[in-house]
Amino acid sequence: MNNYKKNKEELIKELQELQKKYDAAVDLIKKPIAVQERNLNFTPSDTETINPFYDQQQTLSKLNFLGIELTYQNEEKQKRADELRLANIELVFQNEEKERRAEELKLANLELEFQNEEKEKRSDEYKNLNEELLVSKEHAEKSDRLKSVFLANMSHEIRTPMNGILGFAGLLKEPMLTGE
């Protein structure tokens, strides 16, 4: 029987502890819950105690509202995530286009460098040809001067004796020449 009393006393203590926990939970439920907008922080308000049934209904309606609000926020987040995905796809496309354009510009740059090298080569060739032409022109002018001097000398050398011969030939034609 002694064990029976001990067990009974332990059960009574456990029952009292459970009663205290229950009372604390009921007291907590009786206090209204203050909910900040778009925030899920619940804080008990000590301002007034109201009917537990009313409080439970109010808490359920607030929870329902919060559920709707969370659903709305999730939908908005999903929309924003979809917008960001589309923006990301667009940015990837733009980056690919920029990379493609950069490659095209590199090729165009290489082609322009090649053309510039070719033009420089042609320019050097034209300079060399111009120098050769100047040398040839000077040589031709020198040859022309020498020819002119030669012809002038030859003309003088031929003309002078020729004039003498023609003069004497004209004298010989005259029949009445004297010895003088």
Side-chain angles (χ1 to χ4, degrees):
M1 220 182 204
N2 198 10
N3 283 340
Y4 177 75
K5 281 187 180 182
K6 211 176 212 188
N7 285 338
K8 186 178 179 184
E9 288 174 2
E10 287 177 8
L11 287 173
I12 290 172
K13 283 183 184 180
E14 284 182 32
L15 197 58
Q16 287 172 347
E17 286 177 25
L18 287 173
Q19 184 67 37
K20 285 179 186 177
K21 288 181 182 177
Y22 175 78
D23 290 339
V26 168
D27 285 341
L28 187 63
I29 290 175
K30 286 182 181 178
K31 294 180 182 178
I33 296 174
V35 179
Q36 296 176 353
E37 247 182 71
R38 295 183 185 222
N39 193 347
L40 298 178
N41 294 333
F42 294 96
T43 56
S45 173
D46 293 329
T47 56
E48 58 184 81
T49 305
I50 53 177
N51 184 342
F53 296 113
Y54 175 76
D55 191 39
Q56 288 174 356
Q57 289 172 352
Q58 188 179 15
T59 303
L60 286 176
S61 67
K62 286 179 182 180
L63 288 174
N64 189 25
F65 171 75
L66 289 175
I68 292 170
E69 181 67 21
L70 283 175
T71 303
Y72 173 75
Q73 287 178 0
N74 285 338
E75 289 172 357
E76 289 298 313
K77 286 180 184 177
Q78 186 63 37
K79 286 179 187 176
R80 184 66 182 141
D82 291 341
E83 290 172 1
L84 290 174
R85 276 189 214 100
L86 287 174
N88 191 29
I89 290 169
E90 180 65 26
L91 288 174
V92 167
F93 175 75
Q94 289 176 356
N95 283 339
E96 290 172 354
E97 286 295 312
K98 286 179 183 177
E99 288 174 3
R100 186 183 57 78
R101 184 66 180 139
E103 291 298 321
E104 289 175 0
L105 291 174
K106 285 178 185 176
L107 288 174
N109 193 25
L110 289 174
E111 185 175 332
L112 289 173
E113 287 176 3
F114 175 75
Q115 289 176 356
N116 283 340
E117 290 173 3
E118 289 296 314
K119 287 179 181 178
E120 286 177 10
K121 286 179 185 176
R122 278 192 235 132
S123 175
D124 291 340
E125 289 174 6
Y126 289 145
K127 285 179 186 176
N128 291 337
L129 286 174
N130 281 338
E131 289 173 3
E132 289 176 10
L133 285 173
L134 285 174
V135 169
S136 296
K137 178 186 167 201
E138 290 173 1
H139 184 66
E141 288 174 349
K142 184 178 178 183
S143 294
D144 187 48
R145 282 192 304 272
L146 289 175
K147 178 188 74 158
S148 295
V149 168
F150 174 76
L151 286 177
N153 283 337
M154 288 307 289
S155 172
H156 175 73
E157 293 295 326
I158 292 174
R159 225 179 324 136
T160 304
M162 188 64 87
N163 283 338
I165 292 172
L166 288 175
F168 282 116
L171 286 176
L172 288 176
K173 281 187 187 175
E174 287 185 25
M176 301 243 188
L177 261 182
T178 61
E180 296 180 1

